[in-house]
Amino acid sequence: MGENATETKALLSVKELCTYFGIVQTTARELLSNPANGFTVRIGNRLYAHKSRLDQWLLNRIL
């Protein structure tokens, strides 16, 4: 899977989130552990980031 694969995915895994943001897994898991952020999706025991909501969340934080 190439680096551009995250551009077409709706959900990002913890590892993909790390690559996308350039952060470590501990930080990624802290971000995903708060469902109030609006981008966390839990499927079973796994946490994912909804990419379009994540992008919107980031834009709201930097503007």
Side-chain angles (χ1 to χ4, degrees), residues 9-59:
K9 295 181 78 171
L11 297 177
L12 301 178
S13 68
V14 172
K15 287 184 180 182
E16 291 167 334
L17 179 59
C18 290
T19 301
Y20 189 59
F21 271 7
I23 57 177
V24 296
Q25 283 194 21
T26 303
T27 305
R29 290 184 190 282
E30 286 176 9
L31 282 172
L32 291 172
S33 69
N34 181 7
N37 60 32
F39 59 81
T40 296
V41 176
R42 180 181 291 274
I43 300 175
N45 290 332
R46 297 184 186 256
L47 295 173
Y48 297 91
H50 188 279
K51 187 173 178 304
S52 61
R53 290 183 182 177
L54 176 66
D55 290 340
Q56 188 60 48
W57 174 84
L58 182 60
L59 284 174

